[in-house]
Amino acid sequence: MAEGTLSGVGLRGEGQHNGGMTQRPVLTRTRDEFARALAALHGRRALVMTMGALHAGHLELVKRAKEAGDHVVVTIFVNPTQFAPGEDFNAYPRTLEADMDALATVGADLVWAPAPEDAYPEPIDVSIDPGPIAKVLEGASRPTHFAGVALICTKVMGLVRPDVAFFGEKDAQQLAVLRHVFAQLDVPVKVEGVPIVRDEDGVALSSRNRYLSEEERIRARSLSAGLRAGAEAGAKGASADEAVAAVVEVLEDAGGIDIDYVALVDEGTFTVLAATAGVALGAEEERARVTGAAGGGRSARLLVAARVGTTRLIDNTALVLKERAGE
Ligand code: AMP
């Protein structure tokens, strides 16, 4: 196949022949290489940020980006600042060759796969605190996580200056945090959310699914099955608490699922409206505000985080809670 090229900059993709139908994107590593390749792009830039180990969920983001921009820029970087000590930073799968082949099939133009010292050329002493939205749920389980996500994403927005950036609803809280950070810091990018891509058995695609044994994989189906049950209950008029309970019931029936949280949040503000024990609900006045503002029904998101064996999985679904008399 043709090698990926960006005219005028002398950068070529590490092309491999695979039938002549597709070409690999240009691969850059250092900041200088990346800057030169970016300078050669004229037209609308669409950005997809990933940690690699790409699957059809990531590729869906790239396909959407391809429709939205003249050039699709993809970053592949396992970002150390969003992992806490003891998390799976070292073990996280790194599959650059396969990722480049996968990106060739969806027409990505330019990849930046920096080493940590390219992404963070000097010890960094600036941090971003995304505020209360980053303290609940994933932020409660992983207190430094969203600060690290906000930092790398803000840096990459500054380097790439994309017109539009695509993020998956799979990481719904990340999407909400980034919308909030970019709005408050006036980062001039349009953020687009992309619906979750699932396997045939309903399990949301995730780079971490490869850690599951065959038997754990079957149990992992209960996350999406539970969310479906919760969403159906909500559609039939269940309360926020009842929708959460419907999810928990499916997870408990499956057995062997260690629930971190099940929660129902307001879609826009991520205010926690109902949740399993131990999760801080949004302040009463905030809950009343988002509930009251919703009028005919509230756009909410039902979320689950659970360990299946040693693998921590997250999943979520959108639902509209019906207004109920007295609420
Ligand atoms: P990650 O490599 O896990 O950081 O993910 C990179 C981007 O892909 C994030 O915006 C994720 O939300 C998104 N993503 C990951 N899995 C899926 C999926 N199953 N469906 C849709 N988007 C996804």
Side-chain angles (χ1 to χ4, degrees), residues 113-136:
E117 57 273 24
D118 295 312
Y120 297 103
E122 25 187 273
I124 194 147
D125 56 10
V126 170
S127 56
I128 297 175
D129 177 353
I133 193 171
K135 305 273 187 293
V136 294

Side-chain angles (χ1 to χ4, degrees), residues 133-134 136-139 145-146 149 167-180 191-196 198 204 227 261 263-271 300-304 314-319:
I133 193 171
V136 294
L137 304 174
E138 285 305 288
H145 176 65
F146 287 123
V149 170
F167 294 92
E169 289 177 358
K170 164 81 175 13
D171 299 280
Q173 190 173 1
Q174 167 175 284
L175 181 57
V177 165
L178 291 175
R179 284 190 196 283
H180 180 65
V191 171
E192 294 273 10
V194 177
I196 298 175
R198 300 179 178 280
L227 291 170
Y261 61 78
L264 188 93
V265 302
D266 175 70
E267 177 89 284
T269 59
F270 245 75
T271 302
R301 205 160 269 274
L302 198 48
L303 307 138
V304 59
I314 58 172
D315 199 352
N316 69 81
T317 190
L319 83 166

Side-chain angles (χ1 to χ4, degrees), residues 49-51 55 57-58 61 167-168 170-171 174 195-197 205:
M49 294 185 64
T50 81
M51 297 201 299
H55 51 62
H58 299 111
L61 270 59
F167 294 92
K170 164 81 175 13
D171 299 280
Q174 167 175 284
I196 298 175
V197 178
L205 295 183

Side-chain angles (χ1 to χ4, degrees), residues 157-301:
M157 295 301 147
L159 291 171
V160 177
R161 282 159 283 116
D163 296 279
V164 55
F166 289 83
F167 294 92
E169 289 177 358
K170 164 81 175 13
D171 299 280
Q173 190 173 1
Q174 167 175 284
L175 181 57
V177 165
L178 291 175
R179 284 190 196 283
H180 180 65
V181 167
F182 295 162
Q184 292 223 337
L185 298 185
D186 297 312
V187 177
V189 62
K190 184 170 183 220
V191 171
E192 294 273 10
V194 177
I196 298 175
V197 178
R198 300 179 178 280
D199 251 326
E200 278 171 13
D201 62 358
V203 175
L205 295 183
S206 163
S207 309
R208 291 186 169 104
N209 289 348
R210 68 185 69 195
Y211 301 148
L212 298 170
S213 69
E214 221 169 290
E215 182 260 340
E216 287 168 347
R217 168 77 197 205
I218 291 167
R219 272 189 279 148
R221 294 177 190 165
S222 62
L223 273 72
S224 54
L227 291 170
R228 278 198 304 278
E232 278 163 25
K236 285 186 193 144
S239 68
D241 284 324
E242 288 163 349
V244 166
V247 183
V248 171
E249 193 181 331
V250 173
L251 294 172
E252 285 180 345
D253 283 354
I257 305 280
D258 181 8
I259 299 175
D260 189 351
Y261 61 78
V262 177
L264 188 93
V265 302
D266 175 70
E267 177 89 284
T269 59
F270 245 75
T271 302
V272 181
L273 303 171
T276 40
V279 175
L281 297 183
E284 202 173 329
E285 61 199 41
E286 179 60 15
R287 279 185 281 143
R289 199 182 62 74
V290 295
T291 306
R298 44 192 121 123
S299 286
R301 205 160 269 274

